[in-house]
């Protein structure tokens, strides 16, 4: 269980320190079968909450749409390749560029915010994009509006918040998936 200091008006730095201190002090008393929650959040001065997902959180979010490969591709594109929600509906299998020298595939992002750009795609996601593209009647893999893509993230996050009793899931936004990707790139 996480300790929250947000409601008592403590700054985010102090909040993180207090939470980590309390967790270190209490974790030796926790039973070993309890999974420690490690989603990282930070509240900005304007009250917006930034969220970074850890590996288990990412798996949980992607796993929420196990029964729907199109929604899963949308989530994975933001989480594993750093796409914006408005870029996801523009992706097609023809945008994938295989690299002969590396263990990844590049993805051309058409009509990106800054014009045209490329990002990397893990091999398993590239394969899933190709598979879904073969099944679809459209060249576009995720043939919905960007608003629908955002709603998929909010719906999954709200459901996970209820299921896990972790309120920070209610703060997860599509941009947090992009933020998680970027932070992972810096850390790796």
């Amino acid at each position: 269980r996480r300790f929250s200091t947000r409601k008592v008006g403590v700054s985010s730095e102090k909040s993180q320190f207090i939470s980590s201190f309390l967790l270190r002090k209490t974790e030796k008393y926790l039973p070993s079968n309890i999974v420690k929650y490690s989603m990282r959040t930070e509240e900005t001065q304007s009250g917006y909450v930034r969220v970074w997902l850890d590996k288990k959180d990412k798996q949980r979010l992607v796993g929420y749409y196990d029964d729907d490969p199109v929604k899963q591709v949308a989530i994975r594109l933001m989480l594993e390749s750093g796409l914006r929600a408005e870029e996801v509906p523009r992706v097609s299998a023809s945008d994938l560029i295989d690299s002969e020298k590396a263990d990844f595939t590049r993805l051309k992002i058409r009509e990106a915010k800054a014009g045209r750009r490329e990002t990397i795609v893990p091999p398993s996601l590239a394969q899933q994009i190709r598979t879904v593209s073969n099944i679809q009647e459209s060249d576009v893999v995720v043939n919905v509006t960007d608003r629908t893509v955002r709603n998929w993230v909010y719906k999954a996050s709200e459901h996970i918040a209820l299921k896990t009793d972790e309120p920070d899931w209610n703060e997860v936004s599509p941009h947090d998936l992009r933020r998680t990707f970027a932070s992972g790139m810096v850390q790796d």
Side-chain angles (χ1 to χ4, degrees):
R1 187 159 174 107
R2 287 196 66 194
F3 302 96
S4 177
T5 54
R6 208 180 292 161
K7 294 180 183 171
V8 293
V10 177
S11 73
S12 64
E13 260 183 52
K14 285 182 181 177
S15 172
Q16 288 177 346
F17 173 76
I18 293 168
S19 294
S20 64
F21 174 79
L22 291 172
L23 186 60
R24 280 194 313 269
K25 289 293 186 188
T26 59
E27 68 184 352
K28 65 182 175 185
Y29 302 109
L30 294 173
S32 60
N33 62 345
I34 292 182
V35 177
K36 295 174 193 118
Y37 191 71
S38 58
M39 179 185 290
R40 188 168 73 92
T41 61
E42 175 185 290
E43 189 168 354
T44 65
Q45 289 179 341
S46 62
Y48 178 78
V49 179
R50 295 179 179 145
V51 179
W52 290 265
L53 305 177
D54 70 1
K55 187 176 182 176
K56 288 182 181 181
D57 295 329
K58 291 191 279 188
Q59 290 170 344
R60 184 175 287 147
L61 187 59
V62 170
Y64 180 78
Y65 288 120
D66 270 345
D67 60 337
D68 192 331
V70 174
K71 292 177 183 177
Q72 194 173 59
V73 164
I75 299 293
R76 291 185 69 193
L77 281 166
M78 292 181 281
L79 198 55
E80 298 174 24
S81 294
L83 268 66
R84 295 175 178 92
E86 62 267 15
E87 295 169 339
V88 171
R90 299 184 203 126
V91 173
S92 69
S94 61
D95 295 330
L96 296 171
I97 305 165
D98 289 316
S99 177
E100 296 173 12
K101 299 178 182 177
D103 187 26
F104 60 86
T105 302
R106 293 178 305 165
L107 175 67
K108 287 186 296 187
I109 302 168
R110 294 175 278 129
E111 301 173 39
K113 190 174 184 177
R116 185 184 163 277
R117 68 182 177 95
E118 291 184 358
T119 188
I120 60 170
V121 177
S124 63
L125 177 54
Q127 182 58 43
Q128 189 175 19
I129 290 170
R130 288 185 176 107
T131 302
V132 170
S133 179
N134 289 336
I135 297 169
Q136 299 280 0
E137 293 179 13
S138 169
D139 185 41
V140 175
V141 179
V142 182
N143 197 10
V144 297
T145 65
D146 59 315
R147 179 81 248 161
T148 300
V149 172
R150 286 184 180 89
N151 287 338
W152 290 344
V153 174
Y154 296 131
K155 178 185 175 188
S157 299
E158 289 170 5
H159 179 80
I160 294 169
L162 289 171
K163 189 175 179 181
T164 62
D165 197 30
E166 291 296 340
D168 284 340
W169 274 102
N170 289 316
E171 305 293 341
V172 174
S173 72
H175 191 75
D176 293 320
L177 307 188
R178 181 174 162 81
R179 179 180 295 112
T180 298
F181 166 76
S183 296
M185 293 295 291
V186 171
Q187 292 170 357
D188 292 341

